[in-house]
Amino acid sequence: MLCPHCGEESFAKKKKLTENWKVTGEIEVCALCGKEWKTASSGSSSCADEKVKASRNRLAALLGGEEIREFRLSGSADRRFCRNCQYFMQHPFKTVCALSDRETDPMGECERFECRKDS
């Protein structure tokens, strides 16, 4: 393709957009000059969003309710996991409960849960 900026015959390469060390998106740039290409494929994300909305509406129709936006645990139910306990010790190679001194699952639950102060 011809680049609209440099006028040379080139190809597009994908470049990741980052913000605070997190990938926020992806754009196509010219392989020679590095400037952004405006292509028809950039509109595909809105098409994908419409497909997601349509599938949620179908699910809502199946269940006989209103549109489903997002599933999320409410209240303190999502906070009683071992990863939120003050006795949970995380290490790159294994996670340990400081009370039982055993390897534990971060999404596990136990009766001796005590909420961590910083969460």
Side-chain angles (χ1 to χ4, degrees), residues 17-118:
L17 299 174
T18 59
E19 185 176 315
N20 295 329
W21 297 99
K22 291 185 181 178
V23 176
T24 58
E26 198 172 71
I27 60 170
E28 290 182 347
V29 296
C30 174
L32 297 175
C33 67
K35 294 188 180 175
E36 182 179 358
W37 275 5
K38 305 286 183 195
T39 61
S41 65
S42 63
S44 64
S45 63
S46 63
C47 182
D49 292 340
E50 290 178 18
K51 288 181 182 179
V52 169
K53 286 180 185 177
S55 65
R56 286 182 180 165
N57 289 336
R58 286 194 303 269
L59 178 61
L62 177 69
L63 298 175
E66 59 189 50
E67 181 183 343
I68 298 171
R69 289 180 177 78
E70 186 176 332
F71 175 75
R72 199 170 259 267
L73 295 172
S74 61
S76 62
D78 63 338
R79 300 183 54 88
R80 295 198 51 89
F81 298 125
C82 286
R83 68 171 188 219
N84 297 322
C85 181
Q86 74 176 20
Y87 300 113
F88 181 73
M89 294 174 37
Q90 189 168 0
H91 186 271
F93 300 111
K94 74 180 190 181
T95 54
V96 179
C97 176
L99 284 177
S100 64
D101 205 22
R102 294 184 185 161
E103 191 169 348
T104 185
D105 177 25
M107 297 300 289
E109 295 182 24
C110 77
E111 62 278 349
R112 298 185 290 183
F113 173 84
E114 289 186 32
C115 189
R116 193 172 28 186
K117 304 293 186 248
D118 63 321

